PDB file of all heavy atoms in Angstrom:
ATOM      1  N   TYR A   1       0.842  -1.185   0.000  1.00 81.00           N
ATOM      2  CA  TYR A   1       0.000   0.000   0.000  1.00 81.00           C
ATOM      3  C   TYR A   1       0.879   1.236   0.000  1.00 81.00           C
ATOM      4  O   TYR A   1       2.033   1.201   0.433  1.00 81.00           O
ATOM      5  CB  TYR A   1      -0.959   0.029   1.197  1.00 81.00           C
ATOM      6  CG  TYR A   1      -0.282   0.137   2.539  1.00 81.00           C
ATOM      7  CD1 TYR A   1      -0.031   1.383   3.117  1.00 81.00           C
ATOM      8  CD2 TYR A   1       0.087  -1.000   3.251  1.00 81.00           C
ATOM      9  CE1 TYR A   1       0.577   1.490   4.350  1.00 81.00           C
ATOM     10  CE2 TYR A   1       0.695  -0.909   4.484  1.00 81.00           C
ATOM     11  CZ  TYR A   1       0.939   0.340   5.032  1.00 81.00           C
ATOM     12  OH  TYR A   1       1.540   0.444   6.256  1.00 81.00           O
ATOM     13  N   LYS A   2       0.319   2.302  -0.475  1.00 87.00           N
ATOM     14  CA  LYS A   2       1.022   3.576  -0.502  1.00 87.00           C
ATOM     15  C   LYS A   2       0.131   4.620   0.135  1.00 87.00           C
ATOM     16  O   LYS A   2      -1.057   4.710  -0.176  1.00 87.00           O
ATOM     17  CB  LYS A   2       1.356   3.969  -1.951  1.00 87.00           C
ATOM     18  CG  LYS A   2       2.093   5.304  -2.065  1.00 87.00           C
ATOM     19  CD  LYS A   2       2.366   5.651  -3.519  1.00 87.00           C
ATOM     20  CE  LYS A   2       3.073   6.997  -3.639  1.00 87.00           C
ATOM     21  NZ  LYS A   2       3.296   7.367  -5.066  1.00 87.00           N
ATOM     22  N   ILE A   3       0.711   5.408   1.032  1.00 89.00           N
ATOM     23  CA  ILE A   3      -0.038   6.461   1.712  1.00 89.00           C
ATOM     24  C   ILE A   3       0.252   7.794   1.032  1.00 89.00           C
ATOM     25  O   ILE A   3       1.414   8.192   0.905  1.00 89.00           O
ATOM     26  CB  ILE A   3       0.334   6.545   3.201  1.00 89.00           C
ATOM     27  CG1 ILE A   3      -0.030   5.232   3.911  1.00 89.00           C
ATOM     28  CG2 ILE A   3      -0.372   7.716   3.873  1.00 89.00           C
ATOM     29  CD1 ILE A   3       0.457   5.160   5.330  1.00 89.00           C
ATOM     30  N   ASN A   4      -0.793   8.450   0.600  1.00 92.00           N
ATOM     31  CA  ASN A   4      -0.651   9.776   0.010  1.00 92.00           C
ATOM     32  C   ASN A   4      -1.200  10.807   0.992  1.00 92.00           C
ATOM     33  O   ASN A   4      -2.424  10.945   1.149  1.00 92.00           O
ATOM     34  CB  ASN A   4      -1.420   9.846  -1.318  1.00 92.00           C
ATOM     35  CG  ASN A   4      -0.936   8.819  -2.316  1.00 92.00           C
ATOM     36  OD1 ASN A   4       0.256   8.666  -2.529  1.00 92.00           O
ATOM     37  ND2 ASN A   4      -1.864   8.085  -2.919  1.00 92.00           N
ATOM     38  N   LEU A   5      -0.299  11.495   1.679  1.00 93.00           N
ATOM     39  CA  LEU A   5      -0.723  12.486   2.671  1.00 93.00           C
ATOM     40  C   LEU A   5      -1.292  13.722   1.974  1.00 93.00           C
ATOM     41  O   LEU A   5      -0.657  14.294   1.091  1.00 93.00           O
ATOM     42  CB  LEU A   5       0.449  12.883   3.557  1.00 93.00           C
ATOM     43  CG  LEU A   5       1.048  11.779   4.435  1.00 93.00           C
ATOM     44  CD1 LEU A   5       2.279  12.299   5.160  1.00 93.00           C
ATOM     45  CD2 LEU A   5       0.026  11.257   5.429  1.00 93.00           C
ATOM     46  N   LYS A   6      -2.476  14.120   2.413  1.00 94.00           N
ATOM     47  CA  LYS A   6      -3.111  15.308   1.837  1.00 94.00           C
ATOM     48  C   LYS A   6      -3.004  16.512   2.766  1.00 94.00           C
ATOM     49  O   LYS A   6      -2.986  17.654   2.320  1.00 94.00           O
ATOM     50  CB  LYS A   6      -4.592  15.004   1.544  1.00 94.00           C
ATOM     51  CG  LYS A   6      -4.816  13.861   0.571  1.00 94.00           C
ATOM     52  CD  LYS A   6      -4.255  14.184  -0.803  1.00 94.00           C
ATOM     53  CE  LYS A   6      -4.544  13.085  -1.806  1.00 94.00           C
ATOM     54  NZ  LYS A   6      -4.029  13.392  -3.145  1.00 94.00           N
ATOM     55  N   LYS A   7      -2.947  16.230   4.069  1.00 93.00           N
ATOM     56  CA  LYS A   7      -2.815  17.287   5.071  1.00 93.00           C
ATOM     57  C   LYS A   7      -1.761  16.858   6.076  1.00 93.00           C
ATOM     58  O   LYS A   7      -1.861  15.786   6.676  1.00 93.00           O
ATOM     59  CB  LYS A   7      -4.139  17.524   5.808  1.00 93.00           C
ATOM     60  CG  LYS A   7      -5.328  17.880   4.911  1.00 93.00           C
ATOM     61  CD  LYS A   7      -5.318  19.347   4.519  1.00 93.00           C
ATOM     62  CE  LYS A   7      -6.612  19.700   3.789  1.00 93.00           C
ATOM     63  NZ  LYS A   7      -6.647  21.108   3.374  1.00 93.00           N
ATOM     64  N   ILE A   8      -0.746  17.685   6.282  1.00 94.00           N
ATOM     65  CA  ILE A   8       0.274  17.358   7.271  1.00 94.00           C
ATOM     66  C   ILE A   8       0.906  18.652   7.771  1.00 94.00           C
ATOM     67  O   ILE A   8       1.061  19.619   7.022  1.00 94.00           O
ATOM     68  CB  ILE A   8       1.340  16.400   6.679  1.00 94.00           C
ATOM     69  CG1 ILE A   8       2.084  15.682   7.796  1.00 94.00           C
ATOM     70  CG2 ILE A   8       2.287  17.101   5.737  1.00 94.00           C
ATOM     71  CD1 ILE A   8       1.269  14.703   8.571  1.00 94.00           C
ATOM     72  N   ASN A   9       1.240  18.664   9.067  1.00 95.00           N
ATOM     73  CA  ASN A   9       1.837  19.835   9.721  1.00 95.00           C
ATOM     74  C   ASN A   9       0.993  21.089   9.498  1.00 95.00           C
ATOM     75  O   ASN A   9       1.508  22.162   9.165  1.00 95.00           O
ATOM     76  CB  ASN A   9       3.263  20.071   9.214  1.00 95.00           C
ATOM     77  CG  ASN A   9       4.207  18.948   9.622  1.00 95.00           C
ATOM     78  OD1 ASN A   9       4.029  18.318  10.665  1.00 95.00           O
ATOM     79  ND2 ASN A   9       5.190  18.680   8.790  1.00 95.00           N
ATOM     80  N   GLN A  10      -0.303  20.926   9.707  1.00 96.00           N
ATOM     81  CA  GLN A  10      -1.205  22.059   9.541  1.00 96.00           C
ATOM     82  C   GLN A  10      -2.515  21.807  10.287  1.00 96.00           C
ATOM     83  O   GLN A  10      -2.819  20.688  10.684  1.00 96.00           O
ATOM     84  CB  GLN A  10      -1.508  22.301   8.063  1.00 96.00           C
ATOM     85  CG  GLN A  10      -2.260  21.169   7.376  1.00 96.00           C
ATOM     86  CD  GLN A  10      -2.421  21.415   5.888  1.00 96.00           C
ATOM     87  OE1 GLN A  10      -1.679  20.879   5.076  1.00 96.00           O
ATOM     88  NE2 GLN A  10      -3.390  22.239   5.534  1.00 96.00           N
ATOM     89  N   THR A  11      -3.261  22.876  10.472  1.00 97.00           N
ATOM     90  CA  THR A  11      -4.570  22.777  11.116  1.00 97.00           C
ATOM     91  C   THR A  11      -5.599  22.285  10.109  1.00 97.00           C
ATOM     92  O   THR A  11      -5.611  22.719   8.956  1.00 97.00           O
ATOM     93  CB  THR A  11      -5.000  24.144  11.678  1.00 97.00           C
ATOM     94  OG1 THR A  11      -4.029  24.561  12.656  1.00 97.00           O
ATOM     95  CG2 THR A  11      -6.361  24.064  12.339  1.00 97.00           C
ATOM     96  N   VAL A  12      -6.457  21.353  10.550  1.00 97.00           N
ATOM     97  CA  VAL A  12      -7.499  20.815   9.669  1.00 97.00           C
ATOM     98  C   VAL A  12      -8.851  20.936  10.355  1.00 97.00           C
ATOM     99  O   VAL A  12      -8.954  21.108  11.568  1.00 97.00           O
ATOM    100  CB  VAL A  12      -7.237  19.338   9.315  1.00 97.00           C
ATOM    101  CG1 VAL A  12      -5.930  19.180   8.567  1.00 97.00           C
ATOM    102  CG2 VAL A  12      -7.256  18.473  10.571  1.00 97.00           C
ATOM    103  N   LYS A  13      -9.889  20.818   9.560  1.00 97.00           N
ATOM    104  CA  LYS A  13     -11.254  20.781  10.062  1.00 97.00           C
ATOM    105  C   LYS A  13     -11.763  19.341  10.051  1.00 97.00           C
ATOM    106  O   LYS A  13     -11.331  18.520   9.235  1.00 97.00           O
ATOM    107  CB  LYS A  13     -12.167  21.657   9.204  1.00 97.00           C
ATOM    108  CG  LYS A  13     -11.929  23.152   9.375  1.00 97.00           C
ATOM    109  CD  LYS A  13     -12.325  23.598  10.773  1.00 97.00           C
ATOM    110  CE  LYS A  13     -12.193  25.099  10.936  1.00 97.00           C
ATOM    111  NZ  LYS A  13     -12.534  25.539  12.311  1.00 97.00           N
ATOM    112  N   GLN A  14     -12.667  19.054  10.941  1.00 97.00           N
ATOM    113  CA  GLN A  14     -13.287  17.740  10.998  1.00 97.00           C
ATOM    114  C   GLN A  14     -13.887  17.382   9.632  1.00 97.00           C
ATOM    115  O   GLN A  14     -14.585  18.181   9.017  1.00 97.00           O
ATOM    116  CB  GLN A  14     -14.379  17.761  12.058  1.00 97.00           C
ATOM    117  CG  GLN A  14     -14.939  16.418  12.442  1.00 97.00           C
ATOM    118  CD  GLN A  14     -15.818  16.560  13.673  1.00 97.00           C
ATOM    119  OE1 GLN A  14     -16.839  17.240  13.625  1.00 97.00           O
ATOM    120  NE2 GLN A  14     -15.421  15.952  14.771  1.00 97.00           N
ATOM    121  N   GLY A  15     -13.577  16.193   9.155  1.00 97.00           N
ATOM    122  CA  GLY A  15     -14.082  15.754   7.861  1.00 97.00           C
ATOM    123  C   GLY A  15     -13.167  16.056   6.696  1.00 97.00           C
ATOM    124  O   GLY A  15     -13.400  15.571   5.579  1.00 97.00           O
ATOM    125  N   ASP A  16     -12.095  16.832   6.923  1.00 97.00           N
ATOM    126  CA  ASP A  16     -11.119  17.082   5.864  1.00 97.00           C
ATOM    127  C   ASP A  16     -10.415  15.777   5.493  1.00 97.00           C
ATOM    128  O   ASP A  16     -10.180  14.910   6.349  1.00 97.00           O
ATOM    129  CB  ASP A  16     -10.062  18.092   6.331  1.00 97.00           C
ATOM    130  CG  ASP A  16     -10.557  19.526   6.289  1.00 97.00           C
ATOM    131  OD1 ASP A  16     -11.675  19.749   5.815  1.00 97.00           O
ATOM    132  OD2 ASP A  16      -9.801  20.417   6.739  1.00 97.00           O
ATOM    133  N   LEU A  17     -10.043  15.644   4.228  1.00 97.00           N
ATOM    134  CA  LEU A  17      -9.300  14.472   3.774  1.00 97.00           C
ATOM    135  C   LEU A  17      -7.870  14.544   4.305  1.00 97.00           C
ATOM    136  O   LEU A  17      -7.110  15.445   3.947  1.00 97.00           O
ATOM    137  CB  LEU A  17      -9.295  14.414   2.241  1.00 97.00           C
ATOM    138  CG  LEU A  17      -8.505  13.270   1.603  1.00 97.00           C
ATOM    139  CD1 LEU A  17      -9.045  11.922   2.050  1.00 97.00           C
ATOM    140  CD2 LEU A  17      -8.542  13.401   0.086  1.00 97.00           C
ATOM    141  N   LEU A  18      -7.507  13.592   5.184  1.00 96.00           N
ATOM    142  CA  LEU A  18      -6.165  13.560   5.769  1.00 96.00           C
ATOM    143  C   LEU A  18      -5.177  12.845   4.861  1.00 96.00           C
ATOM    144  O   LEU A  18      -4.083  13.337   4.597  1.00 96.00           O
ATOM    145  CB  LEU A  18      -6.181  12.856   7.124  1.00 96.00           C
ATOM    146  CG  LEU A  18      -6.841  13.580   8.291  1.00 96.00           C
ATOM    147  CD1 LEU A  18      -6.697  12.734   9.544  1.00 96.00           C
ATOM    148  CD2 LEU A  18      -6.223  14.947   8.503  1.00 96.00           C
ATOM    149  N   PHE A  19      -5.557  11.656   4.420  1.00 95.00           N
ATOM    150  CA  PHE A  19      -4.673  10.899   3.542  1.00 95.00           C
ATOM    151  C   PHE A  19      -5.491   9.893   2.729  1.00 95.00           C
ATOM    152  O   PHE A  19      -6.621   9.563   3.048  1.00 95.00           O
ATOM    153  CB  PHE A  19      -3.552  10.187   4.314  1.00 95.00           C
ATOM    154  CG  PHE A  19      -3.990   9.289   5.433  1.00 95.00           C
ATOM    155  CD1 PHE A  19      -4.212   7.926   5.235  1.00 95.00           C
ATOM    156  CD2 PHE A  19      -4.159   9.795   6.723  1.00 95.00           C
ATOM    157  CE1 PHE A  19      -4.594   7.101   6.280  1.00 95.00           C
ATOM    158  CE2 PHE A  19      -4.537   8.978   7.774  1.00 95.00           C
ATOM    159  CZ  PHE A  19      -4.764   7.624   7.555  1.00 95.00           C
ATOM    160  N   GLU A  20      -4.853   9.438   1.679  1.00 93.00           N
ATOM    161  CA  GLU A  20      -5.448   8.492   0.746  1.00 93.00           C
ATOM    162  C   GLU A  20      -4.569   7.248   0.745  1.00 93.00           C
ATOM    163  O   GLU A  20      -3.338   7.350   0.722  1.00 93.00           O
ATOM    164  CB  GLU A  20      -5.487   9.138  -0.636  1.00 93.00           C
ATOM    165  CG  GLU A  20      -6.100   8.313  -1.733  1.00 93.00           C
ATOM    166  CD  GLU A  20      -6.007   9.079  -3.040  1.00 93.00           C
ATOM    167  OE1 GLU A  20      -4.888   9.113  -3.616  1.00 93.00           O
ATOM    168  OE2 GLU A  20      -7.021   9.641  -3.475  1.00 93.00           O
ATOM    169  N   ILE A  21      -5.189   6.075   0.786  1.00 90.00           N
ATOM    170  CA  ILE A  21      -4.429   4.821   0.784  1.00 90.00           C
ATOM    171  C   ILE A  21      -4.659   4.114  -0.540  1.00 90.00           C
ATOM    172  O   ILE A  21      -5.800   3.835  -0.926  1.00 90.00           O
ATOM    173  CB  ILE A  21      -4.851   3.899   1.944  1.00 90.00           C
ATOM    174  CG1 ILE A  21      -4.919   4.680   3.263  1.00 90.00           C
ATOM    175  CG2 ILE A  21      -3.884   2.737   2.083  1.00 90.00           C
ATOM    176  CD1 ILE A  21      -5.570   3.929   4.371  1.00 90.00           C
ATOM    177  N   ASP A  22      -3.569   3.837  -1.227  1.00 87.00           N
ATOM    178  CA  ASP A  22      -3.618   3.157  -2.518  1.00 87.00           C
ATOM    179  C   ASP A  22      -3.152   1.716  -2.308  1.00 87.00           C
ATOM    180  O   ASP A  22      -1.986   1.469  -1.999  1.00 87.00           O
ATOM    181  CB  ASP A  22      -2.705   3.873  -3.516  1.00 87.00           C
ATOM    182  CG  ASP A  22      -2.928   3.406  -4.943  1.00 87.00           C
ATOM    183  OD1 ASP A  22      -3.750   2.505  -5.141  1.00 87.00           O
ATOM    184  OD2 ASP A  22      -2.268   3.940  -5.849  1.00 87.00           O
ATOM    185  N   PHE A  23      -4.076   0.751  -2.435  1.00 78.00           N
ATOM    186  CA  PHE A  23      -3.792  -0.649  -2.147  1.00 78.00           C
ATOM    187  C   PHE A  23      -3.527  -1.470  -3.393  1.00 78.00           C
ATOM    188  O   PHE A  23      -4.079  -1.206  -4.459  1.00 78.00           O
ATOM    189  CB  PHE A  23      -4.980  -1.300  -1.427  1.00 78.00           C
ATOM    190  CG  PHE A  23      -5.183  -0.818  -0.025  1.00 78.00           C
ATOM    191  CD1 PHE A  23      -6.181   0.095   0.269  1.00 78.00           C
ATOM    192  CD2 PHE A  23      -4.396  -1.279   1.008  1.00 78.00           C
ATOM    193  CE1 PHE A  23      -6.385   0.532   1.555  1.00 78.00           C
ATOM    194  CE2 PHE A  23      -4.591  -0.842   2.295  1.00 78.00           C
ATOM    195  CZ  PHE A  23      -5.591   0.064   2.576  1.00 78.00           C
ATOM    196  N   GLU A  24      -2.716  -2.492  -3.208  1.00 72.00           N
ATOM    197  CA  GLU A  24      -2.527  -3.518  -4.229  1.00 72.00           C
ATOM    198  C   GLU A  24      -3.028  -4.825  -3.638  1.00 72.00           C
ATOM    199  O   GLU A  24      -2.580  -5.235  -2.568  1.00 72.00           O
ATOM    200  CB  GLU A  24      -1.050  -3.646  -4.599  1.00 72.00           C
ATOM    201  CG  GLU A  24      -0.759  -4.746  -5.614  1.00 72.00           C
ATOM    202  CD  GLU A  24       0.729  -4.880  -5.897  1.00 72.00           C
ATOM    203  OE1 GLU A  24       1.434  -3.859  -5.839  1.00 72.00           O
ATOM    204  OE2 GLU A  24       1.165  -6.008  -6.168  1.00 72.00           O
TER     205      GLU A  24
END
């Protein structure tokens, strides 16, 4: 699997996309 971080080292709101997981 590969983790694609969408939000890091920043303030986020509830429900924001944090990361995406790409599976094989």
